[in-house]
Amino acid sequence: MSASPASPATPAAAPGRRERKKAATRQSLADAALRLFLERGYDNVTLKEIADEADVSTTTLLKHFPGKEALVFDEDADQEEALVSAVRDRPAGTSVPAALYAYISGGTWRKNADREGFAAFQHLIRATPPLADYAHRMWMRHESALAAAVAAAAGAPPTDPRSTALAHFALEARALAHRAEDPEEALRVAFELLEEGWGDR
């Protein structure tokens, strides 16, 4: 009995109408929230006002976002994969700290800095303690995945303490830079220290 020919790969299906509508509603809510927060201040805007601005109910808003803070950080979902990819797919000869520095400073950092209104967005975060705390928690929650990627890159066990420490301090470096007078210099110095401490694995 001859073997059957391999079936061609099935292309990924395009998002259906329902998924597109959900994505559009989510984006509309995030845009409305940021617009109102920048105009009136975070504490002076309610969830109902955001929902009204986006022409949906508060119940619909809460189906998409668990609270006000989440509305500001709608792009966080892709961060973890990007961090892991920066380590996993780094060019040959590039150290793990150098790869993470390149991603944070040359990827999210400069790309976001070039966005219109990004300075106002950053000021909103710094001037609003609940947002600053939420941003830090959201960023640091990627520590476990990043530590595993660092350990794999070093050929170390998943629980390697050096890999966990590097992941932790690499993530904290961005938070430190955001609070500095010269963010880019603060980030450079932090990663210079990590590079020297990490050494050649």
Side-chain angles (χ1 to χ4, degrees), residues 13 15 31 49-50 53 57 68 72 75 84 86-87 102 104 107 109 132 134 145-146 165 168 179 184 192 196:
D31 290 346
E49 289 170 329
I50 296 168
E53 182 78 4
S57 68
K68 282 173 67 176
V72 180
E75 297 182 1
V84 169
V87 172
I104 294 174
W109 194 277
Y134 185 85
L146 181 57
H168 177 82
R179 298 192 296 269
E184 291 189 22
E192 187 176 271
E196 292 174 356

Side-chain angles (χ1 to χ4, degrees), residues 102-174:
Y103 169 70
I104 294 174
S105 65
T108 56
W109 194 277
R110 294 187 187 281
K111 182 176 74 172
N112 283 338
D114 291 339
R115 289 182 183 175
E116 184 178 355
F118 185 71
F121 173 74
Q122 281 295 301
H123 177 73
L124 172 69
I125 304 301
R126 293 193 187 101
T128 311
L131 288 181
D133 291 344
Y134 185 85
H136 186 254
R137 291 197 307 273
M138 290 290 286
W139 179 243
M140 294 305 297
R141 73 191 176 94
H142 305 312
E143 183 178 320
S144 294
L146 181 57
V150 172
T159 56
D160 174 42
R162 293 190 79 218
S163 299
T164 300
L166 177 60
H168 177 82
F169 290 118
L171 293 174
E172 283 286 7
R174 194 188 78 158

Side-chain angles (χ1 to χ4, degrees), residues 15-99:
R17 182 175 181 275
R18 183 176 181 181
E19 287 71 23
R20 293 197 304 272
K21 185 175 180 180
K22 286 173 64 177
T25 299
R26 184 179 179 86
Q27 188 61 56
S28 177
L29 283 163
D31 290 346
L34 184 57
R35 183 166 58 251
L36 291 173
F37 292 157
L38 291 173
E39 288 175 358
R40 293 160 47 188
Y42 177 81
D43 292 328
N44 298 321
V45 178
T46 66
L47 288 177
K48 184 178 185 308
E49 289 170 329
I50 296 168
D52 289 345
E53 182 78 4
D55 197 25
V56 300
S57 68
T58 304
T59 300
T60 297
L61 183 155
L62 292 172
K63 288 180 180 178
H64 290 276
F65 298 95
K68 282 173 67 176
E69 298 96 336
L71 282 152
V72 180
F73 301 99
D74 189 39
E75 297 182 1
D76 185 75
D78 298 329
Q79 287 282 11
E80 187 165 294
E81 175 54 31
L83 282 163
V84 169
S85 179
V87 172
R88 183 187 60 219
D89 304 327
R90 70 193 188 284
T94 302
S95 70
V96 169

